[in-house]
Every structure is written in C-alpha cells, then in structure tokens.
Amino acid sequence: QAQLVESGGGLVQPGGSLRLSCAASGRFFRINAMGWYRQAPGKERKLIADITSGGSTNYADSVKGRFTISRDDAKNTVYLQMNSLNPSDTAVYYCNADVKPTFDSSKYLTVWGQGTQVTVSS
C-alpha cells in the first residue's frame, strides 16, 4: 500500500521561501497525477497546485507566479517551491497522489500525506 510523507514545512518570515517535499513509499505500480493542497484554520482544504504524469501543471490563482510544483518520478517525489511567502499562506499543506496499486488494477486510488505546517510570520 502506498504512503505519502511530506517534509520541509516550518516557520518563515514574510517574503521568504520554503521547499516542500512529498515522497511516496510502499507497494504500488504507478503514480499518475500528484498535487498539493492547503488548509488554513477554520477553512476548507483547497487545491493549490497539481502536476500530471506528463508534467503539465495547474495552479490556484492565489499562488501563481510564486509557487512551483515539480516531480521526480525516479524518486516518486513531488515538490512545492514556495517563494514570496506572506501570512495568508499560513496553513497545513497536504500532498496527494493518484496511485495505481498493481499493474492490473482497474482504478487509481487517491492517497494523502499527513500534512506539514507552514507558518509565515515575522
């Protein structure tokens, strides 16, 4: 069974940068799309960026031009480079991935990481 583990969160000053990583491990055949979501206190979890297996990317308007999503399929890892951070970016960041469990599986399963806290504050 696939598992996702995020890392790279922490406390950063406004205008600073962080790079989040999310590594997949366990037993699975293939990973399709991967994405990053965030959830601020008292708010819904929202998609901020995703990337297909072919490398096509999509961003929420709130992070366009500041965040970059990328993936390294050899490492089964997705990254989120976050620049020009501001206090409104404070949230728990989650990654997810659409995983094909075995070569003959008919469906992809969506797997979530446990989340990593990002706090932007002076």
Side-chain angles (χ1 to χ4, degrees):
Q1 187 173 354
Q3 295 179 331
L4 300 178
V5 177
E6 299 105 334
S7 61
L11 174 64
V12 63
Q13 292 186 341
S17 298
L18 281 176
R19 187 192 194 206
L20 305 183
S21 300
C22 172
S25 62
R27 298 184 65 179
F28 55 89
F29 178 69
R30 179 179 295 159
I31 298 175
N32 193 9
M34 305 182 82
W36 286 97
Y37 290 68
R38 69 185 180 188
Q39 186 169 19
K43 296 189 176 181
E44 296 180 342
R45 188 177 300 187
K46 292 186 177 180
L47 174 68
I48 55 172
D50 59 18
I51 183 167
T52 68
S53 58
S56 296
T57 58
N58 175 58
Y59 297 93
D61 288 343
S62 59
V63 306
K64 276 181 183 176
R66 300 188 299 123
F67 291 10
T68 302
I69 188 171
S70 61
R71 61 192 288 169
D72 183 340
D73 291 333
K75 297 181 179 180
N76 294 317
T77 300
V78 63
Y79 304 97
L80 186 68
Q81 177 66 43
M82 306 186 293
N83 298 327
S84 302
L85 286 161
N86 58 65
S88 66
D89 295 314
T90 295
V92 178
Y93 284 69
Y94 299 90
C95 68
N96 80 349
D98 292 332
V99 176
K100 190 175 184 181
T102 63
F103 78 96
D104 59 349
S105 298
S106 60
K107 296 181 180 180
Y108 281 80
L109 302 178
T110 298
V111 180
W112 288 91
Q114 82 287 352
T116 185
Q117 176 71 45
V118 172
T119 301
V120 185
S121 175
S122 55

